[in-house]
Amino acid sequence: MKRSILIMAAALCLALSATGCGQTGGNAPSYYATEEELADAAANMSAELNSGDIYIEGKVYQMPFVSGELCDAGWEYADEVIERAGTFPALTRFTGVTMHQTDENGEATKEISLVLVNETETEQDIKNVYTTTIGFDRYEKIKLIFPSGITWESKIADVEAAYGAPEHKDEVGNDAFMKTVLQYEYENAHIAFTFEKESDAEDEKLTGINYSCLGFLE
């Protein structure tokens, strides 16, 4: 009898493993936000897109923020020249800056792109200059939550339901591949969500997000 019970229990566990053995989102990619993380973000972030609030890998940032906040969370400058210089010239806007995290073998992972700005008239430590633009690529597998619970799982309809109709909705592509970019424009910010859909896919995927603060050394 005990043997029969054990066999039945094992079979049940195998069946549950197909759905994460009872855990929510067991088959979801590791960079998808959990319900607990969504609740944490909702409690600590504004629901407004132009608030600047972004939940990145377990921490809430508010654009624009000094790049040292990313350093404190374990991000490193990918550009060795910038890191070696250590300081940032006065009244300088530097585009194309990248930061990444590294794994236990020292290999770069989870890269993000930045625009850094020093609007002061004195040279500044690079950790004290502002991140005024930040870009994310889905394939870097960075866990993100934007205001109103928008994540990599979100669809076009979700973004529009959260933030309303975008100022611009651009579609390019053909029957085999379609890219849709939703652009939201505010007095203080410009945010773009990029979606891609292949002909054989059931739904579109959110593949890129770019957040730019306006008014910095433009």
Side-chain angles (χ1 to χ4, degrees), residues 91-106:
L91 300 173
T92 301
R93 183 174 186 266
F94 203 150
T95 63
V97 178
T98 55
M99 294 186 77
H100 59 226
Q101 292 186 333
T102 55
D103 60 21
E104 61 275 10
N105 298 317

Side-chain angles (χ1 to χ4, degrees), residues 66-69 71-72 77 82-90 116-120 122-131:
V66 294
S67 64
E69 289 188 43
C71 296
D72 293 341
Y77 298 104
I82 294 177
E83 187 169 22
R84 191 161 55 245
T87 55
F88 213 77
L116 299 181
V117 171
N118 176 14
E119 284 203 310
T120 72
T122 59
E123 190 175 64
Q124 296 289 327
D125 185 289
I126 191 170
K127 293 183 179 181
N128 295 330
V129 298
Y130 279 92
T131 300

Side-chain angles (χ1 to χ4, degrees), residues 11-215:
L12 178 60
C13 191
L14 284 172
L16 288 173
S17 67
T19 58
C21 218
Q23 296 180 1
T24 301
N27 293 327
S30 60
Y31 57 93
Y32 278 13
T34 65
E35 291 186 8
E36 291 79 6
E37 288 166 335
L38 286 167
D40 180 52
N44 292 284
M45 295 170 62
S46 167
E48 301 299 321
L49 179 58
N50 66 336
S51 66
D53 289 350
I54 310 175
Y55 183 100
I56 308 171
E57 293 285 317
K59 179 180 177 180
V60 176
Y61 299 81
Q62 185 174 53
M63 294 283 290
F65 57 85
V66 294
S67 64
E69 289 188 43
L70 288 169
C71 296
D72 293 341
W75 294 85
E76 302 173 1
Y77 298 104
D79 190 327
E80 294 180 359
V81 175
I82 294 177
E83 187 169 22
R84 191 161 55 245
T87 55
F88 213 77
L91 300 173
T92 301
R93 183 174 186 266
F94 203 150
T95 63
V97 178
T98 55
M99 294 186 77
H100 59 226
Q101 292 186 333
T102 55
D103 60 21
E104 61 275 10
N105 298 317
E107 296 294 328
T109 62
K110 301 186 177 183
E111 188 172 273
I112 55 178
S113 60
L114 311 169
V115 172
L116 299 181
V117 171
N118 176 14
E119 284 203 310
T120 72
E121 296 185 356
T122 59
E123 190 175 64
Q124 296 289 327
D125 185 289
I126 191 170
K127 293 183 179 181
N128 295 330
V129 298
Y130 279 92
T131 300
T132 60
T133 295
I134 189 164
F136 305 97
D137 187 314
R138 177 190 188 93
Y139 303 103
E140 295 294 337
K141 301 182 178 180
I142 298 167
K143 186 169 289 190
L144 293 178
I145 304 174
F146 270 67
S148 295
I150 296 301
T151 70
W152 292 121
E153 293 181 83
S154 301
K155 307 302 180 186
I156 291 175
D158 298 323
V159 174
E160 292 181 335
Y163 310 134
E167 277 65 30
H168 301 282
K169 186 174 183 177
D170 304 314
E171 296 182 340
V172 295
N174 49 45
D175 292 340
F177 177 82
M178 179 63 69
K179 177 182 286 188
T180 303
V181 181
L182 308 182
Q183 299 187 57
Y184 289 86
E185 297 178 355
Y186 301 91
E187 184 177 349
N188 65 330
H190 176 274
I191 305 97
F193 297 88
T194 300
F195 291 85
E196 297 180 0
K197 185 178 186 298
E198 297 181 1
S199 59
D200 58 350
E202 183 177 346
D203 293 308
E204 73 275 9
K205 287 184 177 180
L206 178 55
T207 57
I209 306 175
N210 193 81
Y211 194 115
S212 295
C213 296
L214 304 180

